[in-house]
Amino acid sequence: MSATATLKACGMRSRTIFLMWFTLFVGTGAGAAIGAAIFPPAVTTEDELAHAYANAAIVGVCGGATLVMVSNNLLPEAFELGGDVVGLSTLMGFLAAILVKSVGIQLSDSNHHGCNSTHT
C-alpha cells in the first residue's frame, strides 16, 4: 500500500492511518448492505429489467471511478518507479480481463443452450 507508506513518511501517525483505512472498510460494507436492501431479488420480468439497468448504471459509475483513481494516482507513480514497461503491462492486464470475460460469456451461453426451463 504505497498510500500508507507515503502518509507514514509524511509524519502521519499509524493510528490515524489505520482509522482512515478502517473507516473505508466499514463504509464499503455499509454501502454493500444498503445496496442489498435497496435492490432485493427481482420477482417479475419488469423487476429483472429494472435491476439490470440499475446494475449496469452502478457498475459503469464504479468502473469509471476506478479508472479515474488508477490514472490519477497509481499510473504516475508506477511510471516513475517502473518506467515504460508499465504501459504495456497495463494494456496486457486490460486485454486479459476482456479475454476472461468473453470466454466466461461464451461458456455461460454454451451451458444454457438447448436447456428446458421445465422438468418433468
Side-chain angles (χ1 to χ4, degrees):
M1 292 189 179
S2 67
T4 301
T6 303
L7 293 172
K8 189 76 171 156
C10 290
M12 189 174 280
R13 293 183 345 189
S14 295
R15 180 180 175 179
T16 304
I17 296 169
F18 174 78
L19 288 174
M20 202 168 56
W21 284 112
F22 185 75
T23 302
L24 182 65
F25 169 74
V26 171
T28 301
I34 292 168
I38 291 173
F39 298 107
V43 178
T44 65
T45 305
E46 290 175 359
D47 287 346
E48 287 180 13
L49 184 60
H51 283 160
Y53 282 129
N55 185 45
I58 292 168
V59 169
V61 169
C62 291
T66 301
L67 286 174
V68 167
M69 187 273 306
V70 167
S71 63
N72 283 339
N73 297 320
L74 299 180
L75 286 178
E77 183 178 350
F79 275 111
E80 183 180 314
L81 298 175
D84 290 337
V85 73
V86 171
L88 180 61
S89 60
T90 302
L91 173 64
M92 297 308 289
F94 276 111
L95 291 175
I98 291 170
L99 176 69
V100 168
K101 180 70 172 181
S102 299
V103 168
I105 289 171
Q106 290 299 320
L107 290 175
S108 175
D109 288 346
S110 67
N111 287 340
H112 297 297
H113 184 68
C115 291
N116 247 340
S117 62
T118 60
H119 301 303
T120 55

Coordinates of all heavy atoms in Angstrom, one line a residue, residues 96-113:
A96 N -6.3 -9.1 -20.9 CA -6.6 -10.3 -20.2 C -7.9 -10.3 -19.5 O -8.7 -11.3 -19.6 CB -5.5 -10.6 -19.1
A97 N -8.3 -9.2 -19.0 CA -9.7 -9.1 -18.4 C -10.7 -9.2 -19.4 O -11.8 -9.9 -19.2 CB -9.8 -7.7 -17.6
I98 N -10.6 -8.6 -20.6 CA -11.6 -8.7 -21.6 C -11.6 -10.2 -22.1 O -12.7 -10.7 -22.4 CB -11.2 -7.8 -22.8 CG1 -11.4 -6.3 -22.3 CG2 -12.0 -8.1 -24.0 CD1 -10.9 -5.3 -23.3
L99 N -10.5 -10.8 -22.3 CA -10.5 -12.2 -22.7 C -11.2 -13.1 -21.7 O -12.0 -13.9 -22.1 CB -9.0 -12.7 -22.9 CG -8.9 -14.2 -23.3 CD1 -9.4 -14.4 -24.7 CD2 -7.4 -14.6 -23.1
V100 N -10.9 -13.0 -20.4 CA -11.6 -13.8 -19.4 C -13.1 -13.6 -19.4 O -13.9 -14.5 -19.4 CB -11.0 -13.5 -18.0 CG1 -11.8 -14.1 -16.9 CG2 -9.5 -14.0 -18.0
K101 N -13.5 -12.3 -19.5 CA -14.9 -12.0 -19.5 C -15.6 -12.6 -20.8 O -16.7 -13.2 -20.7 CB -15.1 -10.5 -19.5 CG -16.5 -10.0 -19.5 CD -17.2 -10.4 -18.2 CE -18.6 -9.7 -18.2 NZ -19.3 -10.0 -16.9
S102 N -14.9 -12.5 -21.9 CA -15.5 -13.0 -23.2 C -15.6 -14.5 -23.1 O -16.6 -15.1 -23.5 CB -14.6 -12.6 -24.4 OG -14.6 -11.2 -24.5
V103 N -14.6 -15.2 -22.6 CA -14.6 -16.7 -22.5 C -15.7 -17.1 -21.5 O -16.5 -18.0 -21.8 CB -13.2 -17.2 -22.1 CG1 -13.3 -18.7 -21.7 CG2 -12.2 -17.0 -23.2
G104 N -15.8 -16.3 -20.4 CA -16.9 -16.7 -19.5 C -18.3 -16.5 -20.1 O -19.2 -17.3 -19.8
I105 N -18.5 -15.5 -20.9 CA -19.8 -15.3 -21.5 C -20.1 -16.5 -22.5 O -21.2 -17.0 -22.5 CB -19.9 -14.0 -22.2 CG1 -19.9 -12.8 -21.2 CG2 -21.0 -13.9 -23.2 CD1 -19.8 -11.4 -21.8
Q106 N -19.0 -16.8 -23.3 CA -19.2 -17.9 -24.2 C -19.5 -19.3 -23.5 O -20.4 -20.0 -23.9 CB -18.0 -18.1 -25.1 CG -17.8 -17.0 -26.1 CD -18.9 -16.9 -27.0 OE1 -19.5 -17.9 -27.5 NE2 -19.3 -15.6 -27.3
L107 N -18.8 -19.5 -22.4 CA -19.0 -20.8 -21.7 C -20.4 -20.7 -21.0 O -21.1 -21.8 -21.0 CB -18.0 -21.0 -20.6 CG -16.6 -21.3 -21.1 CD1 -15.6 -21.3 -20.0 CD2 -16.6 -22.6 -21.9
S108 N -20.8 -19.6 -20.5 CA -22.2 -19.5 -19.9 C -23.3 -19.7 -20.9 O -24.2 -20.4 -20.6 CB -22.3 -18.1 -19.3 OG -23.6 -17.9 -18.8
D109 N -23.1 -19.2 -22.1 CA -24.1 -19.4 -23.2 C -24.1 -20.8 -23.6 O -25.2 -21.3 -23.9 CB -23.8 -18.4 -24.4 CG -24.1 -17.0 -24.1 OD1 -24.8 -16.7 -23.1 OD2 -23.6 -16.1 -24.9
S110 N -23.0 -21.5 -23.7 CA -23.0 -22.9 -24.2 C -23.6 -23.8 -23.2 O -24.2 -24.8 -23.5 CB -21.6 -23.3 -24.6 OG -20.8 -23.4 -23.4
N111 N -23.5 -23.5 -21.9 CA -24.0 -24.3 -20.8 C -25.6 -24.2 -20.8 O -26.2 -25.2 -20.4 CB -23.5 -23.9 -19.5 CG -22.1 -24.3 -19.3 OD1 -21.6 -25.2 -20.0 ND2 -21.4 -23.7 -18.4
H112 N -26.2 -23.1 -21.3 CA -27.6 -23.0 -21.2 C -28.2 -23.2 -22.6 O -29.5 -23.2 -22.7 CB -28.0 -21.6 -20.7 CG -27.5 -21.3 -19.3 ND1 -28.0 -22.0 -18.3 CD2 -26.6 -20.4 -18.8 CE1 -27.4 -21.6 -17.2 NE2 -26.6 -20.6 -17.5
H113 N -27.5 -23.5 -23.6 CA -28.0 -23.7 -24.9 C -28.8 -25.0 -25.0 O -28.4 -26.1 -24.7 CB -26.9 -23.8 -26.0 CG -27.3 -23.9 -27.4 ND1 -28.0 -22.9 -28.0 CD2 -27.3 -24.9 -28.3 CE1 -28.3 -23.2 -29.2 NE2 -27.9 -24.5 -29.4

